[in-house]
C-alpha cells in the first residue's frame, strides 16, 4: 500500500501494535493515527478503535478493553472535546465491547442534560451477551447495545456524513458488522479482516469460512482505489495496520485458496488430522501470524457442517 510519507511512517511504526495486547491494559499506550476526512484510528487498547469526530460530537467503532477506557478517552481528547454520541460494535468480543460502559459514562454530554450514546450492533451481539455462560463475567447493562438491527444494514447521518453499518452474517461470528463512512471514504471492518494474521472463525458463535469470504468480497465492493490500486478508500481492520483495497484483495485470496485446498483434501476422504498434516497453508505461514492449524481446523469444520 503506497501512502503519503507521514502516514506511511505512522503505519510502519504502529504495524505491530494492533496485535500486541498490553500486559496491563490499565497502563496501555494508545496511539492516534489520523486517517482521512474526520476519521482517526486508535491503536493499543485491545482492538483497533475507529473515531469519527466533528461539530456534532464523537462516534466510536468498538471501544477496546474495559481497563484501557481512561487511556482511550484521554487519547480522543487530544483531538476532540466533543461528547461521545454513538458507539458501533462490530462483534461481541471483549476487546471490542469491553470499554462500552466506561466510555459511555466518561464521554457523555454534560449539558444541558447528560445524554447516553446510542450503542449500535447487530441483534446477535445482544443475544450473545444475554446468553453468556455462568462461568463468564457478565457485561453490565449500560455496556449492552441499545440500538440493535436485524436487517442487512442500518444507516444514519452524523457529523455531516452518511454512515452505513452492514451486517456480515456467519463470518468471524454471526453478528459481525462493518461500518462505512461515506464522505471520509473510510471503512471499519472489525475482525472480518485482520491483515498479517490468520482470521478467527468462531464456529461456536455462528462463524464460517464461506461467510468470511462473502464478507471480504462485500468489503471489496465498497472500497475504491485511488491510483494503481493504491490509496482511495482506507480500511481500518479489527487488529493490525491501516490498509487499502489491495491489502484486502491479498487477504481474501489467501483465505479462498486455503479454503479450496482444504475442500479438495476433504473430497479425497482425509480426516482433520490428515488435512492438518498436509499443511494446506504452508506457503502462507511466513506471511501470517496466529495458528495455521487452528485456522485450517476452523475451515475443515466449517466445510463439514
Amino acid at each position: 500500500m503506497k501512502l503519503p510519507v507521514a502516514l506511511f511512517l505512522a503505519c510502519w511504526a504502529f504495524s505491530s501494535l494492533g496485535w500486541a495486547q498490553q500486559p496491563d491494559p490499565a497502563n496501555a499506550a494508545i496511539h492516534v493515527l489520523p486517517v482521512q476526512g474526520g476519521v482517526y484510528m486508535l491503536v493499543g487498547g485491545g482492538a483497533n478503535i475507529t473515531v469519527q469526530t466533528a461539530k456534532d460530537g464523537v462516534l466510536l467503532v468498538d471501544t477496546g478493553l474495559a481497563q484501557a477506557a481512561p487511556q482511550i478517552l484521554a487519547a480522543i481528547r487530544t483531538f476532540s472535546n466533543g461528547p461521545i454520541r454513538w458507539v458501533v460494535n462490530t462483534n461481541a468480543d471483549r476487546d471490542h465491547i469491553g470499554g462500552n460502559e466506561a466510555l459511555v459514562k466518561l464521554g457523555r454530554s454534560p449539558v444541558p442534560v447528560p445524554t447516553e450514546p446510542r450503542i449500535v450492533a447487530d441483534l446477535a451481539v445482544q443475544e450473545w451477551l444475554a446468553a453468556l455462560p455462568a462461568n463468564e463475567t457478565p457485561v453490565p447493562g449500560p455496556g449492552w447495545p441499545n440500538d440493535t438491527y436485524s436487517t442487512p444494514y442500518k444507516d444514519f447521518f452524523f457529523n455531516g456524513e452518511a454512515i452505513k453499518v452492514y451486517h456480515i452474517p456467519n463470518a468471524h461470528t454471526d453478528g459481525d458488522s462493518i461500518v462505512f463512512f461515506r464522505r471520509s471514504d473510510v471503512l471499519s471492518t472489525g475482525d472480518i479482516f485482520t491483515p498479517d494474521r490468520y482470521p478467527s472463525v468462531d464456529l461456536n458463535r455462528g462463524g464460517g469460512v464461506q461467510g468470511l469470504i462473502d464478507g471480504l468480497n462485500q468489503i471489496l465492493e465498497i472500497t475504491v482505489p485511488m491510483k494503481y490500486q493504491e490509496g482511495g478508500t482506507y480500511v481500518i481492520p479489527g487488529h493490525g495496520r491501516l490498509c487499502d483495497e489491495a491489502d484486502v484483495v491479498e487477504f481474501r485470496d489467501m483465505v479462498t485458496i486455503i479454503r479450496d485446498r482444504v475442500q479438495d483434501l476433504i473430497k479425497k476422504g482425509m480426516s482433520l488430522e490428515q488435512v492438518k498434516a498436509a499443511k494446506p497453508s504452508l506457503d502462507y505461514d511466513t506471511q501470517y501470524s496466529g495458528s495455521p492449524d487452528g485456522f485450517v481446523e476452523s475451515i475443515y469444520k466449517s466445510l463439514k457442517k
Side-chain angles (χ1 to χ4, degrees), residues 260-274:
D260 289 348
R261 290 172 179 172
V262 173
Q263 196 166 45
D264 184 60
L265 295 173
I266 290 173
K267 288 179 181 178
K268 293 178 179 178
M270 289 190 178
S271 67
L272 173 58
E273 293 308 314
Q274 289 173 323

Side-chain angles (χ1 to χ4, degrees), residues 40-68:
Y40 297 74
M41 174 178 167
L42 303 187
V43 181
N48 289 337
I49 298 172
T50 302
V51 183
Q52 183 242 33
T53 183
K55 62 181 179 63
D56 295 333
V58 174
L59 179 152
L60 304 178
V61 180
D62 294 326
T63 56
L65 294 163
Q67 304 94 313

Side-chain angles (χ1 to χ4, degrees), residues 111-250:
V111 293
V113 177
T115 57
E116 302 296 334
R118 295 173 70 174
I119 304 177
V120 177
D122 181 75
L123 180 61
V125 170
Q126 191 179 74
E127 291 173 342
W128 278 109
L129 294 179
L132 284 175
N135 62 343
E136 287 196 30
T137 304
V139 175
W144 284 36
N146 55 31
D147 189 355
T148 59
Y149 73 102
S150 56
T151 52
Y153 68 89
K154 174 184 178 66
D155 55 17
F156 55 95
F157 203 83
F158 186 64
N159 278 330
E161 74 177 316
I163 296 162
K164 297 200 73 168
V165 183
Y166 296 92
H167 176 221
I168 308 297
N170 309 115
H172 165 58
T173 68
D174 62 356
D176 296 302
S177 296
I178 60 175
V179 186
F180 183 48
F181 298 89
R182 182 179 288 173
R183 176 170 290 180
S184 297
D185 199 17
V186 177
L187 182 64
S188 184
T189 69
D191 285 346
I192 294 171
F193 171 54
T194 53
D196 305 322
R197 182 172 182 172
Y198 285 124
S200 168
V201 179
D202 192 336
L203 301 175
N204 293 326
R205 289 194 290 159
V209 66
Q210 188 55 53
L212 182 68
I213 293 170
D214 292 343
L216 293 167
N217 284 327
Q218 187 165 345
I219 291 171
L220 293 173
E221 288 177 4
I222 297 170
T223 54
V224 179
M226 181 171 60
K227 189 176 183 181
Y228 304 126
Q229 297 303 307
E230 304 290 350
T233 307
Y234 282 117
V235 181
I236 299 177
H239 301 265
R241 56 189 169 82
L242 181 65
C243 295
D244 61 13
E245 184 184 71
D247 298 299
V248 182
V249 169
E250 290 182 7

